Amino acid sequence: MYIAYSALQAVSQHNAPIQTEPQNNELLLRYQAYQSICQKYQREITAIQQYLPGWTPAFK
């Protein structure tokens, strides 16, 4: 979840022009999907983290 949070922070910290509504909506939908998948596969993520502490799925 940290990766998703940091990715959203990086987008908001750039001095780029204000994004249009569809781009912001797409980013929000992608983040919500990421959270949903992380919740769905919580057992698998926990099992992987036993061997790779701190591992989280990538947020693209």
Side-chain angles (χ1 to χ4, degrees):
M1 298 308 286
Y2 174 77
I3 292 173
Y5 176 76
S6 63
L8 291 175
Q9 289 294 349
V11 169
S12 67
Q13 291 177 358
H14 288 148
N15 292 332
I18 298 174
Q19 295 180 351
T20 61
E21 183 64 31
Q23 290 173 336
N24 288 335
N25 191 30
E26 179 186 348
L27 183 61
L28 179 61
L29 288 174
R30 287 174 42 214
Y31 177 68
Q32 289 172 342
Y34 177 82
Q35 284 183 319
S36 175
I37 293 300
C38 285
Q39 289 174 354
K40 181 177 179 180
Y41 293 104
Q42 184 175 10
R43 289 184 185 169
E44 289 81 358
I45 292 170
T46 302
I48 292 170
Q49 287 176 341
Q50 289 178 350
Y51 300 101
L52 302 170
W55 180 86
T56 56
F59 176 75
K60 297 180 181 180

